[in-house]
Amino acid sequence: MKTKIIIFLRHIFPFLLTLGLWRLSDSFWNPAGILAIIPIFYCSFVRSIDWFPLFSILMCIALDYNFETVCYWLAIYCLFYSINSFQNIIDITSMEKNGIYAFMFFIGLSILIQVCTNFTITNIISGLLIFIWCSILYIPTTVLIQRIQE
């Protein structure tokens, strides 16, 4: 009985982590729950988990709600999901360092588009800080997910 509970908790951990990171939004450390994009990207593209793409769509809608955007994160996610289907050109699953470079491209392009829509010095600085913060926390978060699921 105990092992079934542990196996269940290992499988549910990425889902709970994503919900937790989205819910623990803070204006400085986690604006609008943006850190939830790390497990969304990792568990959808790098290390695919069953049912996670559907959950990621729901979480992208939740991010859009927090950011007060209309389907922005959902559109970016769907764009990268379709790009990921061309695995003969780009294979994110076999990239080194858990796909950090693909993630940096994903989050960098997303933030760049948002900054360009409202181009101010404040938005440039906050976009740069979000990019740096998400990139720094990507490796520890993905290693945590790997360790718990093993």
Side-chain angles (χ1 to χ4, degrees):
M1 181 67 178
K2 194 177 209 179
T3 59
K4 288 184 181 182
I5 293 171
I6 292 172
I7 290 171
F8 174 73
L9 289 175
R10 284 181 180 168
H11 288 297
I12 198 88
F13 178 73
F15 297 92
L16 294 176
L17 179 66
T18 307
L19 277 172
L21 287 174
W22 172 74
R23 187 69 183 120
L24 294 174
S25 62
D26 181 49
S27 61
F28 183 74
W29 297 107
N30 190 9
I34 190 64
L35 292 179
I37 206 74
I38 296 171
I40 288 172
F41 181 87
Y42 180 72
C43 295
S44 294
F45 301 123
V46 179
R47 193 174 191 185
S48 186
I49 296 176
D50 294 336
W51 296 100
F52 208 85
L54 180 61
F55 179 73
S56 295
I57 289 172
L58 293 173
M59 288 309 299
C60 285
I61 292 170
L63 277 175
D64 284 327
Y65 174 76
N66 278 358
F67 270 100
E68 296 177 2
T69 55
V70 180
C71 297
Y72 176 74
W73 288 103
L74 180 62
I76 294 291
Y77 175 79
C78 290
L79 173 72
F80 272 82
Y81 197 82
S82 64
I83 290 172
N84 190 38
S85 66
F86 298 122
Q87 284 192 358
N88 55 353
I89 299 169
I90 301 169
D91 190 13
I92 297 175
T93 59
S94 64
M95 287 185 169
E96 58 188 30
K97 299 178 184 174
N98 295 334
I100 182 75
Y101 301 119
F103 176 75
M104 288 172 70
F105 179 75
F106 171 75
I107 195 75
L109 182 66
S110 303
I111 291 173
L112 180 67
I113 292 170
Q114 280 190 334
V115 166
C116 288
T117 58
N118 190 8
F119 197 74
T120 62
I121 295 296
T122 307
N123 284 344
I124 293 170
I125 292 171
S126 66
L128 186 63
L129 289 174
I130 290 171
F131 173 77
I132 291 169
W133 187 238
C134 286
S135 298
I136 289 171
L137 290 178
Y138 181 78
I139 293 293
T141 305
T142 58
V143 168
L144 179 69
I145 292 171
Q146 282 180 346
R147 297 286 169 114
I148 288 180
Q149 286 191 332
E150 290 177 355

